[in-house]
Amino acid sequence: MNKAKAYFSHQLPLIVTAAIFALLFATASHFYDGFFSARVFISLLSENAFLGIAAVGMTLVIFSGGIDLSVGAVIGFTSILTATLIEKHQVAPGLAWTLGLAAGSALGAGMGSLIHSYRLPPFLITLAGMFLARGAGFWISTDSVGINHALYGKISAYEWVFGSVAIPAGALFLVAVILTGWVVAHHTRFGRTLLAIGGNEQSALLMGLPIGPAKIGVYTMNGFCAALAGIVATLYTGSGNPSMGIGLELDAIAIVVIGGTLLTGGRGHMLGTLLGVLIFGTIQAAILFDGRLSSWWMRIVVGALLLVFILLQRFFLRRKSG
């Protein structure tokens, strides 16, 4: 009985997230004809693929008690870098993607090294990284660059048919990244080290855990995820834009917190991030189905949910300390 109670208490944020998603989806299905369908559910994933991929990397960073404000800027930088290399310099897409992923990972590794080596606040270092990546994107091009490549057409049009359901490439990318993030976060020593750092860094140090490599590694991985999100965004939009991803880092943080991950680190679940993406997408889809509501209602609802989860986290932490 005590074990069951402890497990329920431990998973309470995740359970609340799942309940909110179920309630939102059921309510929208009741009011809007055609909402309750596999097509709509798949679209929640495909329409928010690059945001979800960025949220996976952000989840790992927040696990460790850190934060990364450079995610949106890295998405914009990677998208315009990829588009410029392919269209203006005739670079093969595979090579352009590799260079974009390497650039995002290098920026993440640099920020992680500064944060660990000089004990600098992640907020300030990643804020500097945000300005650096955004400025570099506009240095490459101030205008959007369209991508007219046969491979892009094939990938963006690809659908994996499962029974009577067609799953677009964007949804497949997101599911693959979330599954990878779930394995890394919950089934590797690296993931357990991140949670230990977020719970109590001093205790993790006394236990002999590799604090430095883990911190540098998680920011490198987050930079990789942000760059991958930028590449997926070019597949979705068919272009690169240095303005892409403005404010997206805040959406990613909101998704992670709504997903039940403690903003102070040390506790969370990758499944919660997936549920956060689905909640975000459900609100968007419901507004589109209604047709009368402004898109700003999504921000209002997300803000209200974020406040609820912050209060829930405060309650959870007080119970734990008590």
Side-chain angles (χ1 to χ4, degrees):
M1 186 68 179
N2 289 333
K3 287 185 178 180
K5 186 177 180 180
Y7 179 81
F8 178 81
S9 177
H10 183 79
Q11 299 296 339
L12 183 60
L14 183 61
I15 293 170
V16 172
T17 302
I20 289 176
F21 167 64
L23 179 62
L24 285 174
F25 198 83
T27 302
S29 300
H30 174 74
F31 284 105
Y32 307 118
D33 292 335
F35 196 94
F36 188 77
S37 65
R39 180 181 60 82
V40 171
F41 183 82
I42 295 300
S43 72
L44 299 182
L45 298 174
S46 61
E47 296 289 329
N48 296 282
F50 60 92
L51 173 58
I53 291 170
V56 169
M58 188 69 76
T59 303
L60 295 173
V61 169
I62 293 179
F63 273 9
S64 70
I67 201 76
D68 192 343
L69 300 181
S70 69
V71 168
V74 172
I75 289 174
F77 167 75
T78 306
S79 75
I80 193 62
L81 174 66
T82 302
T84 302
L85 288 173
I86 294 173
E87 282 299 308
K88 296 186 177 181
H89 300 285
Q90 306 303 310
V91 175
L95 179 56
W97 298 339
T98 300
L99 293 173
L101 293 171
S105 300
L107 177 62
M111 292 188 299
S113 298
L114 290 173
I115 290 167
H116 169 66
S117 300
Y118 297 99
R119 308 295 182 191
L120 296 173
F123 180 91
L124 295 179
I125 294 300
T126 59
L127 180 65
M130 179 185 75
F131 286 118
L132 176 63
R134 188 66 70 186
F138 279 104
W139 175 69
I140 293 172
S141 176
T142 56
D143 300 316
S144 176
V145 176
I147 302 174
N148 298 305
H149 194 282
L151 182 60
Y152 263 73
K154 289 179 181 178
I155 295 176
S156 60
Y158 175 80
E159 291 182 339
W160 180 55
V161 179
F162 182 75
S164 59
V165 180
I167 305 176
L172 295 174
F173 277 122
L174 176 57
V175 171
V177 172
I178 286 179
L179 286 174
T180 303
W182 174 71
V183 172
V184 170
H186 304 293
H187 297 278
T188 66
R189 185 186 178 191
F190 175 72
R192 291 189 292 271
T193 300
L194 294 179
L195 289 169
I197 293 171
N200 190 314
E201 184 173 340
Q202 190 61 34
S203 295
L205 186 63
L206 292 174
M207 288 191 299
L209 296 177
I211 304 297
K215 278 190 175 183
I216 297 171
V218 76
Y219 281 96
T220 302
M221 190 172 293
N222 190 42
F224 179 90
C225 286
L228 180 60
I231 292 169
V232 172
T234 63
L235 292 167
Y236 181 74
T237 62
S239 64
N241 192 329
S243 299
M244 188 178 292
I246 290 179
L248 187 139
E249 61 279 348
L250 302 181
D251 291 338
I253 294 170
I255 283 172
V256 174
V257 175
I258 291 172
T261 297
L262 288 179
L263 193 56
T264 53
R267 180 160 297 185
H269 205 288
M270 196 60 68
L271 177 59
T273 297
L274 173 59
L275 290 170
V277 173
L278 291 174
I279 288 172
F280 199 89
T282 300
I283 297 169
Q284 281 181 320
I287 290 172
L288 288 174
F289 266 76
D290 187 275
R292 297 169 297 174
L293 298 174
S294 167
S295 61
W296 288 107
W297 274 102
M298 183 189 72
R299 299 294 174 187
I300 294 171
V301 175
V302 169
L305 287 175
L306 188 59
L307 178 60
V308 168
F309 273 89
I310 289 172
L311 293 174
L312 180 64
Q313 289 185 7
R314 177 59 59 184
F315 171 74
F316 179 82
L317 288 173
R318 282 183 177 177
R319 280 189 60 186
K320 184 179 177 182
S321 62

